[in-house]
Amino acid sequence: MSVPILAIHGGCGVPPKGTLSGEQERHAREGLKDALRAGWAVLEEGGQALDAVEAAVVALEEHTAFNAGRGAVFNADGKHEMDAAIMDGRDLRAGAVAGICRIRNPIRAARAVMERTDHVLLIGHGVEALAARAGLELVAPDWFSTEDRRASLLQMKALQARGDSSQASERLKHGTVGAVAIDRAGHLAAATSTGGYTNKLPGRVGDTPLVGAGTYANDATLAYSGTGRGEIFIRTVLGHELHARMAYKGESLAAACEDMVFGALKRLGGGAGLIAVGRDGTVALPFNTAGMFRGVASPGEGWVSIYDERETLSLV
């Protein structure tokens, strides 16, 4: 019997402390709390880690503070193209979707791929057809739009026109949401969802739906969800790299995660963060940016954070 634990993130695209308004901070914290409670309610009742991470990510997709689902960023054509993935550490089953624009909760579509097909990754219109057969809700593309994200697109285009796009803040560029969990049976699961990168080329796919890069779960080692510039997560195959370092080198969860975030990923020039829970119940949440929207729940306690502080909360 294991102690159930849930960790969530709302992305490492956080500006320096004092930059977010009080309302923006409050809005994000409330979203993290809602997601933590949604996922924890599953684990507390003895439910599976897979159901817990899906519930947490659905809550984050529904909250406009984060770049996933409603609140997703715009690509260069002013459209939404969202990606998501979910993975079960028990048997390495996984499902992922990419480039979708009408499915209200992309993470539910990813799970449908895992459970209703023989595939791992579906893209575009094929996902919508599957979602319709699975009874998932389809919405108009503008349901995901917010004025804040539209303003970010205009800012990115202005910086690009001046040749200063490299000066864009982490918050302006990207964001992701994710959840990892271990349940009472000791099984691990991970889920990640994103709107991608502001002003990205149409058709760009990041690390989130690539199993082993942005999302990974294996009962032998860890469950992991990444956030940051997806291209560097793809190039380092980060999720599987963490698994390999633990499985073959015997590294601890903390050592493997921190070395990659503050070592290889930083050297590659990208802001990065991640959440992970190990098979022994240890938790790692390193990030090399100004902050990361995050939270952890375990029996009797829960907390959320943006920077260095922690705000405790009731999980009921």
Side-chain angles (χ1 to χ4, degrees):
M1 184 74 72
S2 297
V3 175
I5 297 172
L6 171 72
I8 64 170
H9 74 80
C12 68
V14 178
K17 195 170 186 177
T19 305
L20 289 174
S21 69
E23 174 57 25
Q24 287 175 318
E25 281 205 26
R26 184 201 64 76
H27 188 52
R29 288 178 188 278
E30 287 305 312
L32 291 171
K33 292 175 185 178
D34 289 346
L36 206 59
R37 290 186 179 113
W40 181 250
V42 175
L43 294 177
E44 188 176 38
E45 293 297 318
Q48 296 180 356
L50 190 69
D51 295 325
V53 296
E54 180 186 20
V57 169
V58 166
L60 291 165
E61 288 176 339
E62 292 286 318
H63 201 279
T64 57
F66 310 111
N67 175 23
R70 195 169 199 182
V73 299
F74 292 92
N75 67 13
D77 286 348
K79 297 180 180 179
H80 303 292
E81 289 182 314
M82 295 166 287
D83 307 332
I86 192 167
M87 189 167 185
D88 189 338
R90 292 175 295 183
D91 51 14
L92 305 188
R93 288 190 308 154
V97 296
I100 62 175
C101 63
R102 295 185 60 236
I103 302 169
R104 177 168 176 156
N105 295 112
I107 197 63
R108 286 180 170 154
R111 186 160 182 178
V113 172
M114 181 180 76
E115 296 183 336
R116 292 172 173 263
T117 78
D118 294 326
H119 310 310
V120 170
L121 174 62
L122 287 183
I123 65 171
H125 297 301
V127 187
E128 290 187 8
L130 174 66
R133 293 195 300 272
L136 301 184
E137 183 176 357
L138 301 180
V139 295
D142 62 3
W143 184 86
F144 302 100
S145 305
T146 66
E147 290 307 309
D148 182 54
R149 297 302 186 188
R150 198 176 299 280
S152 293
L153 176 63
L154 295 177
Q155 286 180 266
M156 280 292 287
K157 285 189 174 295
L159 288 170
Q160 185 180 55
R162 297 199 302 266
D164 294 333
S165 56
S166 63
Q167 302 303 310
S169 68
E170 296 294 335
R171 178 171 173 78
L172 185 60
K173 290 186 290 187
H174 56 70
T176 310
V177 306
V180 295
I182 184 169
D183 58 31
R184 295 186 190 279
H187 298 306
L188 298 166
T192 315
S193 181
T194 186
Y197 192 84
T198 302
N199 202 37
K200 64 184 178 181
L201 289 176
R204 179 263 188 186
V205 176
D207 64 304
T208 291
L210 302 184
V211 171
T215 308
Y216 191 73
N218 188 321
D219 274 7
T221 49
L222 82 164
Y224 142 86
S225 174
T227 169
R229 183 63 186 263
E231 282 70 13
I232 64 174
F233 288 73
I234 296 171
R235 287 157 59 193
T236 56
V237 199
L238 183 59
H240 193 268
E241 175 70 12
L242 296 173
H243 160 75
R245 293 176 71 141
M246 295 175 69
Y248 309 135
K249 292 182 67 178
E251 290 188 357
S252 69
L253 179 75
C257 292
E258 291 186 14
D259 188 56
M260 289 302 296
V261 169
F262 296 105
L265 298 182
K266 195 167 186 179
R267 287 193 298 272
L268 288 171
L274 64 86
I275 58 172
V277 59
R279 60 178 295 182
D280 60 355
T282 56
V283 176
L285 306 97
F287 55 92
N288 63 26
T289 56
M292 182 169 73
F293 300 109
R294 61 200 189 279
V296 176
S298 58
E301 62 179 351
W303 58 266
V304 298
S305 181
I306 300 176
Y307 299 102
D308 296 327
E309 79 305 329
R310 290 185 180 185
E311 179 184 350
T312 59
L313 71 149
S314 168
L315 293 171
V316 295

